[in-house]
Each structure stands twice: as structure tokens, then as C-alpha cells.
Amino acid sequence: MQWWYWPLGGLLFCLILIGANQWTAMKKLRLHVLDVVTLPVWIVAHYTMGYSFGVSYIEWLLLFWFAFGAILAWFLLQKEWGWRHFWHLYWQWSGLFGIVVIIVVMILGFINH
């Protein structure tokens, strides 16, 4: 299996979700695409890095991201942010951060191979 199958599959999954969100009753659930793709994005990032470089450091990135989130939560929750609002936005930011990680890993993978 080629390493770039995982990012292509993840992109296809995201496009299917965007289409499902636009043309089905999924809009009524008030779910955004970033609410749904956060976990699959990190799984795709893990397998992409693993197949591309032979080792995956995604666990370390997630550990850093969770520590950053704890510090950010401590700071922002003291600034009158609601905890549900913050954690919902943090979940979406996690999905965006995972997408950025996939893009960086893909660029490095294409340069490396």
C-alpha cells in the first residue's frame, strides 16, 4: 500500500461529509464538518506519517496539543468563556490542527520520496 492512499481517503471522506452536510438533513443536527472529522483526521495523520516515514510521532503531537489545550482552557475559562463553548471550539481547532499536520506530513513525504 502506498503511503499517500491515507490522505486521499481522508480527503474523500471529508468531501463526502461536506456533501452530506449540504444536501441532507444533517444540517438540522447542528453538526459541522469539523465536529465529525476530528478523530478520522488524526487517524489519517497517524497512518500517513507511519507509512511515509516508518514511524509516527502523532502521539507526541497530540500530547503537546492536549497540554496546550489545558493551558488555554485555564487562561480562557478565567476570562468568562463558557466551558461548553470553549471545548466545542477546542474540538474544532483540534480538527483544523490535524488537517495542518496532514498537509505538512504530505509535503515532507513528497519531498522525502
Side-chain angles (χ1 to χ4, degrees):
M1 174 185 268
Q2 296 292 325
W3 68 269
W4 45 268
Y5 287 169
W6 278 98
L8 286 179
L11 177 66
L12 184 64
F13 179 71
C14 290
L15 290 176
I16 289 170
L17 275 177
I18 290 170
N21 194 19
Q22 291 292 327
W23 296 296
T24 64
M26 197 171 153
K27 279 191 240 182
K28 295 178 185 174
L29 297 175
R30 294 181 19 208
L31 283 175
H32 297 94
V33 174
L34 284 175
D35 294 334
V36 179
V37 300
T38 300
L39 285 177
V41 158
W42 283 104
I43 292 169
V44 166
H46 173 70
Y47 280 109
T48 301
M49 184 178 268
Y51 281 126
S52 178
F53 301 116
V55 65
S56 177
Y57 295 113
I58 297 300
E59 294 87 4
W60 289 103
L61 280 173
L62 279 174
L63 185 64
F64 163 76
W65 182 248
F66 291 150
F68 175 74
I71 294 168
L72 194 63
W74 176 74
F75 178 73
L76 289 177
L77 292 177
Q78 289 180 351
K79 300 284 184 188
E80 304 299 324
W81 277 47
W83 65 274
R84 293 180 79 189
H85 177 68
F86 170 77
W87 289 112
H88 182 252
L89 286 178
Y90 182 71
W91 181 258
Q92 290 181 338
W93 296 336
S94 297
L96 287 174
F97 182 59
I99 291 169
V100 169
V101 167
I102 290 174
I103 291 170
V104 169
V105 168
M106 283 180 56
I107 290 171
L108 292 175
F110 281 124
I111 290 172
N112 191 29
H113 287 135

